[in-house]
Amino acid sequence: MATQGKTRGRSKSEQKRHQILLAATRLYLEQGIHATSMEQIAEEAEVSKQTLYSHFGGKEELFVAAIEQKCIQHELAPALFNDDLPPRQVLFDLATHLLELLLSEDAIKLHRLCISGVEQYPSICQLYWQAGPQNLIGLFQNYLERKVESGQLQINNTAFAAQQFLNMVKGDAYMKAILNIGDVPAIEDLYAYLDDVVDLFLNAYESSQSS
Amino acid sequence: MATQGKTRGRSKSEQKRHQILLAATRLYLEQGIHATSMEQIAEEAEVSKQTLYSHFGGKEELFVAAIEQKCIQHELAPALFNDDLPPRQVLFDLATHLLELLLSEDAIKLHRLCISGVEQYPSICQLYWQAGPQNLIGLFQNYLERKVESGQLQINNTAFAAQQFLNMVKGDAYMKAILNIGDVPAIEDLYAYLDDVVDLFLNAYESSQSS
DNA sequence: GTCTATATACAGATAGAC
DNA sequence: GTCTATCTGTATATAGAC
């Protein structure tokens, strides 16, 4: 009783709050902001509409909370911490992991949703950018700088190089997926493409040595 | 000469249709689909709401008509038809023209709008892709193939090369603009960046000649 | 064809009982 | 805190007069 509501282990209120966030995230990602009503979220979460309002105050706050939670849950680039592997393999691992992530249903719908809300909810775009692209560029740039120091790569402008590699990985497949043009290709079908990307990058930046 | 020739009695209807399309396009681009009501469009176009319905049937049709009209009105790459200039200059002209277009308010808002409507109005994304990116890639690939034939460039996979150059030009500036992150940079501030892009591209694909 | 006025539906948000 | 029932605004779409 002295422990503010958590006398029974987990409070029912927290449980419902979690259900709401889960349902809201799923519906917003699936249908967009305006096509999803508070009533529908309440049904999906199996709570009443009033409970939504007592927990989150209104539709805007609920939307922002749902998207924020979704923005920070992906691991971006585990490959970048294998400093023992040769750069070619690290780059290829990074490329495949990243493209797979980018082409996933969830990531595509999150991207669309953030863009749809850019006018009304600018904060979610900020968060999305920081947690996603900006974070990744930083990690990758750090990696490149380590490889320059160790003499494995020769790069004048690591920020530029990092940006270009990541843009090439995305290629056109990403925008086609965002615009829902054609089928989303399986990652295996993109291996040859990513191989060419790594080649192009290393041709430009690998320390000179005959292949 | 006479004016537009469309201001006579029978074409007053056409005149109003034009006003409606113009107003709708402007408001949709500015505010998005759901934030723009038929009543607002009617006011902006200085016609009654009923006239909207008699011309276009409903909100969906009006929206699609407005966006379609907007998709096909930009000239993408005039630089690509100067076959006499050296590739370096053509590439740089293409890059600056393209980036300037991409970073314009209109293009950014159109992009956002198409993505916002991808679920409900898939046809506008198709149209946007064909009129924009796909069209441009085709034109650029043709250019590259002419330069390969004339021996000025050495490219195995021109589709890949074209795609990569265009992606590099867009860089991160485009997505930052779409997400409304920071200020949209002036094109002049991006010249140095685009110079590096052209360098990287030509280093990879220029016919070998000692410098 | 064009306008004014209205019907219909549904969304977000709130009031009050338990 | 949670639920049922309700209020209020607004949007799409239509009916009917000129």
Side-chain angles (χ1 to χ4, degrees):
Chain A
M1 151 187 165
T3 57
Q4 57 175 11
K6 283 206 167 187
T7 52
R8 295 268 176 96
R10 53 187 175 279
S11 77
K12 256 198 296 191
S13 181
E14 276 303 314
Q15 175 69 18
K16 287 197 188 278
R17 185 189 171 88
H18 187 66
Q19 285 175 23
I20 293 170
L21 261 184
L22 222 66
T25 307
R26 223 165 49 93
L27 289 173
Y28 281 140
L29 281 179
E30 199 60 39
Q31 308 176 336
I33 315 172
H34 294 91
T36 303
S37 68
M38 294 294 264
E39 192 155 356
Q40 202 180 359
I41 296 173
E43 284 174 19
E44 181 83 8
E46 292 176 315
V47 299
S48 81
K49 211 163 41 155
Q50 181 59 27
T51 307
L52 266 62
Y53 282 93
S54 50
H55 273 282
F56 292 94
K59 192 180 187 180
E60 293 205 6
E61 294 91 324
L62 175 54
F63 176 69
V64 172
I67 298 307
E68 283 186 349
Q69 178 216 13
K70 199 73 189 174
C71 276
I72 55 182
Q73 74 174 206
H74 292 114
E75 188 173 15
L76 289 177
L80 289 180
F81 301 100
N82 284 330
D83 272 347
D84 298 331
L85 294 176
R88 177 175 295 272
Q89 186 172 345
V90 171
L91 292 177
F92 189 75
D93 287 350
L94 169 65
T96 51
H97 177 86
L98 177 62
L99 195 53
E100 189 164 23
L101 175 63
L102 287 174
L103 295 183
S104 70
E105 275 294 301
D106 256 29
I108 288 169
K109 291 191 164 156
L110 179 61
H111 186 116
R112 289 181 189 150
L113 200 52
C114 289
I115 290 178
S116 302
V118 67
E119 301 282 352
Q120 206 170 352
Y121 317 96
S123 68
I124 63 168
C125 283
Q126 291 266 350
L127 194 77
Y128 176 76
W129 171 259
Q130 287 165 7
Q134 191 178 58
N135 186 8
L136 181 62
I137 292 173
L139 291 172
F140 187 42
Q141 192 180 349
N142 285 344
Y143 172 82
L144 290 180
E145 279 167 3
R146 292 202 301 278
K147 293 297 143 183
V148 169
E149 281 179 24
S150 73
Q152 293 173 273
L153 296 175
Q154 273 190 331
I155 306 174
N156 280 329
N157 188 342
T158 52
F160 177 81
Q163 188 184 150
Q164 293 319 338
F165 182 76
L166 298 175
N167 283 323
M168 289 197 289
V169 168
K170 287 196 307 190
D172 291 338
Y174 187 52
M175 189 179 291
K176 283 180 76 169
I178 297 290
L179 292 173
N180 198 25
I181 306 291
D183 297 328
V184 175
I187 187 69
E188 291 83 12
D189 296 334
L190 293 166
Y191 280 170
Y193 169 81
L194 292 178
D195 223 46
D196 286 345
V197 168
V198 173
D199 265 349
L200 181 56
F201 185 82
L202 288 180
N203 276 343
Y205 292 121
E206 207 165 25
S207 301
S208 54
Q209 56 191 34
S210 61
S211 62
Chain B
M1 214 56 189
T3 57
Q4 288 77 9
K6 285 190 171 182
T7 49
R8 303 292 281 200
R10 196 174 78 109
S11 57
K12 245 197 304 192
S13 181
E14 277 302 314
Q15 175 68 18
K16 287 198 187 276
R17 185 189 172 88
H18 187 67
Q19 285 175 23
I20 293 169
L21 262 185
L22 221 67
T25 306
R26 223 166 50 94
L27 289 172
Y28 281 141
L29 279 180
E30 200 61 38
Q31 308 176 336
I33 314 172
H34 294 93
T36 304
S37 70
M38 295 293 266
E39 190 154 357
Q40 204 179 358
I41 296 173
E43 284 174 19
E44 180 83 10
E46 293 177 313
V47 301
S48 80
K49 213 166 34 159
Q50 182 60 26
T51 308
L52 267 62
Y53 282 93
S54 50
H55 272 283
F56 293 94
K59 192 178 188 181
E60 293 206 4
E61 294 92 324
L62 175 54
F63 177 70
V64 172
I67 298 308
E68 284 186 349
Q69 178 216 14
K70 197 74 188 172
C71 277
I72 54 182
Q73 74 175 206
H74 292 114
E75 189 173 15
L76 289 177
L80 289 180
F81 301 100
N82 284 330
D83 272 347
D84 298 331
L85 294 176
R88 175 175 297 271
Q89 186 170 346
V90 171
L91 291 178
F92 189 76
D93 287 350
L94 168 64
T96 51
H97 177 87
L98 177 62
L99 195 53
E100 189 163 22
L101 176 63
L102 287 174
L103 295 182
S104 70
E105 276 292 303
D106 255 29
I108 289 169
K109 292 191 163 156
L110 179 60
H111 186 117
R112 289 181 189 150
L113 201 53
C114 289
I115 290 178
S116 303
V118 66
E119 302 282 353
Q120 208 172 348
Y121 317 95
S123 67
I124 63 168
C125 283
Q126 291 267 348
L127 194 75
Y128 176 76
W129 172 259
Q130 287 165 8
Q134 192 178 57
N135 187 7
L136 180 61
I137 293 172
L139 290 172
F140 187 42
Q141 191 179 349
N142 285 344
Y143 172 82
L144 291 180
E145 279 167 4
R146 292 201 301 277
K147 292 297 144 182
V148 169
E149 280 178 27
S150 73
Q152 292 173 275
L153 295 176
Q154 273 190 329
I155 306 175
N156 280 330
N157 189 341
T158 51
F160 177 81
Q163 188 185 150
Q164 292 320 339
F165 181 76
L166 298 175
N167 282 324
M168 290 196 290
V169 169
K170 287 196 308 189
D172 291 339
Y174 187 52
M175 191 180 291
K176 284 180 77 170
I178 298 289
L179 292 173
N180 199 25
I181 306 291
D183 297 329
V184 175
I187 188 67
E188 291 83 12
D189 296 334
L190 292 166
Y191 281 171
Y193 169 82
L194 291 178
D195 223 44
D196 285 345
V197 168
V198 173
D199 264 348
L200 180 55
F201 185 83
L202 288 180
N203 276 343
Y205 293 120
E206 206 164 26
S207 301
S208 53
Q209 53 192 33
S210 62
S211 59

